[in-house]
Structures are given as structure tokens and as C-alpha cells.
Amino acid sequence: MTVDSFELAQAVPATSNTPHPSGLATIAAIATPLGRGGVGVIRLSGARAYDIACQLTGKTAFTPRMASFCRFYQADGTIVDEGLVLYFKGPHSFTGEDVIELQGHGGMILQNQLLARVFELGAKQAGAGEFSYRAFDNDKLDLVQAEAIADAIDATSAAAASSAIRSLSGEFSQKINQLLEQLIHLRLHVEAAIDFPDEEDVDFLSDGVIQDKLEQTQDKIRQVLETAKQGQLLRDGIHVVLAGRPNAGKSSLLNRLAGQERAIVTNVAGTTRDTLQETVVLKGLTLHLTDTAGLRDTDDTVERIGIERARTAITQADMLLMVYDVSRDLAEDSTPLQLAEQLFGKLPEAKKLLIIANKSDLLTDAHDKAQKASSQNEITQRGYEQVNVSCETGTGIETLIETLCAKVGFHPPENSLIARTRHIDALRRTAGHLTEAHEQLTVFQAGELVAESLRQAQLSLGEITGEFSADDLLGKIFGSFCIGK
């Protein structure tokens, strides 16, 4: 394979002949992780991407969607690197603009030198998520699909990655668009009934047709909301804090869940003096675990700082695991719930607290077992849950994982879809507006108010795909993407 000779800078550059009325700058960025590697990719998008590729390589033309082997030249004719050039002619590209991909060798020096040369030729540094934003702006992706790109890249489990790819393919968007269509049809019926009140065939206040359609839409919104909640758990996981007295077995439990010796475990009380984080995926659920210093009164300055950090972590937890030594931590006639009150100042909500009775293998006599059974009954009666484990033997760990998944409501369907907090917020607001519409229809028979509630529901739902989205929201979403995507 031959390489075209380098053309002098004075030569007339080739052009792509693709119209770009927007006048946006041509952007460029390294699209692969920096570091040592076999291949490094630099992506360009915009009106001058094609021209820059021609000037960089000395070639006069590139065939769309066909790889061309080239050398990449500095202004004085010296070779920066060599590799493949891929040309995607707009609008048939990721961004909808002319896109060039330069596939050179990996490595920070070579990639940065090549990128600097691209900037010399007129490209500008792409901002975070700018390629995806241009794809969104050019109707190549909707907002859910654009977010799914970042979610696929950041996925911490196979299930999360698979769900993100389904959202990227448009499955989640399709569900939302179907609901939007239903809302639009509802609005048409209601508006027609308001505008033509004397027509019998559109008398929605008496025939019940609109009420039935509205209730069907409410049911579908609830189904999508439940799916979205599972998708959010898949994407974000939950923050779990392990708390309790010193030497209760918190660090041992962290090591058991992590499957490795992450925390130092000794018989010395107060070994853990700071928070320790570890992320694990168990049964598809991502757990962001935080081990904490044992809660007690102490004169040790360093340990006191650790305890303060522990209390801060406790207030920020999605789920709190109170670990106690079943053979030691409960005084005579004391209960685990009383211990929780002592440790945390007040008893946490049942949905946020899971009690872990550690060292259950050490209970031998009948009195100890009877006391444990009595405590279990009180916990259950008050709506709390306790799991008996032994971090030493591993007994009960599987039950703990299953209980934790059930407690946070994690039961994703096989074809679950990734979702974000803003999606759930928009769905809840949509459901709220539909509830208002239902009340205005069935209680007050106020057609104008029904129409307004349906309009607000449509606006809220449209925020998910980006049909109705404020610029500051878009900036926040795309600003969280990595550079080069």
C-alpha cells in the first residue's frame, strides 16, 4: 500500500462539498483513553473536518465509509504518525456533520502531537459531550439515547450495560413517545369537546370515553415509572453504610461482600478510623459500600474524627446496615432496636435500616437463643428486618444479599431499561398532572382545567426525550459526558 507524497501547505485544499449552514466550529478531541495502547483515535466533526484531513495527510480525496492508510504530517513535512483515516459524510454520521476519525498509535505523546496539529489546521477543542450534543441538535439522537451513551460507558455491571444499550437503540424513547401520542389524542378529544360543546359525538362529560382513555394512560405511566425505578437502581446502585460498635464485624462484613481483604481486621477496638469505600455488584445490583469507624465515646483525637465522618456517612446513606455482635453488644433485656436508638440518636426508618446480627455462630446455650428469638419477634412486629450472619463462616451472607435487594425493591425484568433521576422526576410530575386531570374530569367536570392538566402532563413527559427541555438542563446533561463523546 502506497502513501501519497506530502503536499505543500500552499496547495489548494480539497473540499467536502457538504453544506453546513449552522456555521459551527469544527471540533476535535481524543476519543480513546489516554495512556499506552495499540490504537488511539482522534475524532473531528464539522464543516472543515474533511479539509483538515486532506491537509494533514496530503491526500486530495477520501471515499466515505472506506478506511484509507495515510501518514500524518507536520507543517514542515515531518511525519507525526501514520494510521487509518475514516470519513463519514454528513448527514450520514454520528453527529450529522462531516466526521473524520484519525486512527493512529496509542500513547499520550503521539496523540497529543497529532491533536495539536489538527488544532493548527483550524479545529477547536471539543467540550465535554459536544459530539453527542451535536448529534442531538441534528436529530440523530433524542435526549434519552444521548444519555444512554454516557450510561453505557459508565456502566458498573453487565446488566446496566445491556440496559443502557437497549435505551440507546431507542426502546425507552419508544415507550415515552407512545405515551406522548396517547396524551396528544386525549388533548385533541378534550379540546374538541370544549370547542364544540353542542356536538353529541364529542360530549366527553357524559359518555365516559375520555375517562377510560385517561385511566389507561395513567396505568401505562405507572408501569413505565416502575420500569424506570428499576433502571435507576441498575444505573446508580445504592449507597450502603456499615455502622455499629467497635469490633462488631463491620470490616469483616465488607470483606465478605467484596470477596477480598479490603479492610484491616484485628481484635483491637477502633482499628477502623476512617471511612473505607468499596463498590461491588451482587445479583446485578451495584452496592457502593462504606465501612465506618465504630461508634463509641473516646478521648482519642484521631478516632473522634473518624466517628464524625462515620455519622456524616450515616446521614447520606440510601441503606444503613447496623452490624452488632450478637454475643456481646446487647445488655441484659436490651434489644437491637434499642441499640440502634443509642447509636444513631433516633431510630432510623424501617425502609432505610437493616439489622445485621453478626457472630450468630457463637450462640450456644438455650438462653442466648431464646433471647435472640425474642428480639427477632420485636423487630418483625415493628416493621424492621434482621439477618443473622457469621462473617467468620459465611453463614447468612447470601440471605443478607437477597434481603437487601428485596428491601430496596430491586427486581429488574429481563429487558429492563436504564433510567436517571430526572426521568423518574418527569414521570412523577406527569402522573401528578394526570391525577389532577382525572379529578377535574370526574369531580368538577371542568373541561378547560382538564385540558390544561393534560398540557402540563405532555410538557413534563416531553422533557425526557428532549422535546421540551431548557438550555440549562441540556448543558448540565451533556457537560457530564467525557471529552470526545
Side-chain angles (χ1 to χ4, degrees):
M1 186 179 293
T2 62
V3 180
D4 289 357
S5 61
F6 176 70
E7 294 184 359
L8 296 177
Q10 295 96 315
V12 178
T15 59
S16 66
N17 297 318
T18 303
H20 290 270
S22 66
L24 293 174
T26 296
I27 56 174
I30 298 172
T32 44
L34 289 175
R36 296 179 70 247
V39 177
V41 177
I42 291 176
R43 175 180 287 168
L44 296 84
S45 180
R48 296 208 59 238
Y50 184 90
D51 300 343
I52 290 172
C54 290
Q55 290 177 279
L56 180 68
T57 61
K59 293 183 72 70
T60 58
F62 291 100
T63 303
R65 298 178 179 274
M66 183 174 291
S68 301
F69 177 74
C70 306
R71 285 185 176 138
F72 309 133
Y73 295 98
Q74 294 282 18
D76 61 3
T78 58
I79 298 173
V80 181
D81 196 5
E82 62 182 24
L84 298 180
V85 176
L86 285 169
Y87 168 46
F88 302 91
K89 184 183 175 86
H92 306 297
S93 68
F94 174 71
T95 63
E97 305 171 329
D98 280 358
V99 169
I100 291 286
E101 287 194 359
L102 307 173
Q103 300 186 8
H105 294 94
M108 292 181 63
I109 301 300
L110 287 174
Q111 287 283 284
N112 283 325
Q113 284 182 331
L114 183 56
L115 184 62
R117 175 61 178 145
V118 168
F119 291 157
E120 285 179 11
L121 292 170
K124 306 294 183 184
Q125 173 67 57
E130 191 168 357
F131 290 95
S132 296
Y133 180 81
R134 291 193 179 192
F136 167 74
D137 201 38
N138 291 324
D139 296 323
K140 307 297 288 186
L141 299 168
D142 64 30
L143 200 51
V144 169
Q145 291 172 300
E147 289 172 315
I149 295 171
D151 292 336
I153 293 170
D154 295 335
T156 57
S157 69
S162 177
S163 296
I165 294 301
R166 280 194 292 273
S167 291
L168 177 58
S169 70
E171 287 188 35
F172 191 17
S173 301
Q174 186 177 15
K175 289 179 182 289
I176 299 303
N177 288 332
Q178 288 172 350
L179 286 168
L180 281 168
E181 283 294 319
Q182 287 183 255
L183 280 173
I184 290 169
H185 285 302
L186 266 174
R187 288 189 64 193
L188 287 174
H189 279 83
V190 173
E191 296 286 355
I194 294 171
D195 292 340
F196 306 102
D198 297 329
E199 299 290 334
E200 289 185 10
D201 59 343
V202 290
D203 185 9
F204 75 98
L205 294 177
S206 59
D207 64 13
V209 173
I210 295 299
Q211 182 177 339
D212 288 344
K213 290 181 179 296
L214 177 56
E215 289 172 354
Q216 289 172 17
T217 303
Q218 286 179 292
D219 287 340
K220 289 185 178 178
I221 285 286
R222 281 191 284 267
Q223 292 170 15
V224 173
L225 181 56
E226 182 58 32
T227 300
K229 288 178 180 177
Q230 295 301 309
Q232 183 191 31
L233 283 172
L234 267 178
R235 176 185 182 270
D236 299 335
I238 59 169
H239 289 83
V240 179
V241 172
L242 284 62
R245 292 199 185 284
N247 268 17
K250 303 180 296 299
S251 297
S252 297
L253 180 57
L254 176 77
N255 290 341
R256 272 285 177 185
L257 294 174
Q260 58 179 316
E261 296 296 315
R262 280 288 288 114
I264 297 172
V265 177
T266 73
N267 293 324
V268 179
T271 299
T272 302
R273 296 191 168 205
D274 201 351
T275 54
L276 175 65
Q277 285 80 32
E278 179 72 7
T279 296
V280 299
V281 179
L282 301 172
K283 296 190 178 297
L285 177 61
T286 300
L287 303 179
H288 306 287
L289 301 171
T290 301
D291 186 18
T292 61
L295 302 177
R296 66 173 177 176
D297 293 327
T298 178
D299 294 326
D300 188 301
T301 302
V302 176
E303 189 176 356
R304 277 207 310 270
I305 294 172
I307 292 170
E308 288 173 8
R309 292 184 179 182
R311 295 200 181 280
T312 299
I314 288 167
T315 62
Q316 297 171 346
D318 296 322
M319 182 62 61
L320 182 58
L321 302 190
M322 187 195 79
V323 184
Y324 76 98
D325 182 341
V326 73
S327 68
R328 183 204 68 190
D329 284 344
L330 295 182
E332 192 70 28
D333 299 325
S334 179
T335 69
L337 293 180
Q338 289 172 338
L339 176 62
E341 265 187 289
Q342 294 169 14
L343 291 176
F344 309 129
K346 64 177 182 179
L347 192 61
E349 296 178 84
K351 66 180 181 181
K352 189 177 176 179
L353 177 66
L354 181 59
I355 300 169
I356 311 299
N358 187 31
K359 305 183 184 181
S360 56
D361 56 309
L362 299 181
L363 294 183
T364 53
D365 61 45
H367 173 72
D368 285 342
K369 291 181 179 179
Q371 187 179 26
K372 186 177 79 168
S374 175
S375 296
Q376 187 77 58
N377 289 336
E378 186 216 10
I379 289 167
T380 303
Q381 288 170 4
R382 295 183 61 179
Y384 289 83
E385 291 181 85
Q386 174 174 293
V387 179
N388 302 318
V389 305
S390 169
C391 292
E392 179 69 26
T393 66
T395 303
I397 298 298
E398 191 66 24
T399 302
L400 166 58
I401 296 168
E402 291 172 357
T403 304
L404 190 56
C405 289
K407 199 166 182 66
V408 299
F410 183 69
H411 46 80
E414 186 175 338
N415 295 321
S416 57
L417 299 166
I418 211 78
R420 295 185 172 207
T421 301
R422 76 168 194 89
H423 302 156
I424 292 173
D425 175 64
L427 286 166
R428 283 175 173 160
R429 283 187 283 114
T430 301
H433 292 309
L434 292 181
T435 299
E436 292 170 1
H438 191 273
E439 182 181 20
Q440 298 296 347
L441 176 66
T442 59
V443 178
F444 302 105
Q445 297 186 340
E448 290 84 358
L449 296 178
V450 173
E452 176 58 20
S453 293
L454 291 176
R455 187 183 74 85
Q456 292 293 336
Q458 184 184 347
L459 289 173
S460 296
L461 195 60
E463 290 177 11
I464 295 176
T465 56
E467 184 176 344
F468 310 107
S469 292
D471 288 342
D472 57 346
L473 173 63
L474 296 179
K476 184 176 181 180
I477 290 171
F478 287 100
S480 66
F481 284 33
C482 57
I483 304 291
K485 205 61 179 117

